[in-house]
Amino acid sequence: PGFPQAAGQNTIHPEERRPMKASEIRDMSQEEQFRRLSELKETLFTLRFQKESGQLENSAKLKQTRRDIARLKTIIIEQNK
């Protein structure tokens, strides 16, 4: 049924991902959590820059990224208590 996918077409672009779940974050090692936090901060910077230059296609990505950062920071703090 349907046409076959071209190679690499079913990969998800990192900026078009779904929100992170708390359970996924808790399953990560502390090193992975900090690496992911760093990646999200870089993504947020890029999105803000795109917004100001008028190149941002989906403004919901800003909100999603901010919330992912907050969720990640919350869980990191919980685990360090």
Side-chain angles (χ1 to χ4, degrees):
F3 296 100
Q5 291 271 332
Q9 287 223 350
N10 51 354
T11 57
I12 298 175
H13 194 272
E15 293 180 14
E16 296 179 16
R17 60 181 169 61
R18 59 176 173 66
M20 295 178 70
K21 292 185 178 180
S23 60
E24 293 173 351
I25 297 170
R26 286 187 180 98
D27 290 341
M28 292 178 180
S29 69
Q30 192 172 30
E31 183 179 307
E32 289 175 313
Q33 290 173 346
F34 283 112
R35 183 178 44 78
R36 185 71 182 130
L37 182 60
S38 177
E39 290 171 3
L40 286 171
K41 285 181 177 181
E42 288 178 22
T43 301
L44 183 60
F45 176 80
T46 304
L47 292 173
R48 285 180 175 158
F49 192 85
Q50 288 176 355
K51 179 183 176 193
E52 292 304 315
S53 64
Q55 297 175 351
L56 184 62
E57 295 177 10
N58 184 358
S59 60
K61 290 180 187 177
L62 273 170
K63 182 177 180 180
Q64 178 182 336
T65 304
R66 280 196 313 266
R67 287 186 175 192
D68 283 346
I69 289 171
R71 189 174 296 114
L72 198 48
K73 284 182 172 182
T74 300
I75 293 172
I76 288 172
I77 290 170
E78 283 177 358
Q79 291 177 343
N80 288 331
K81 285 187 176 180

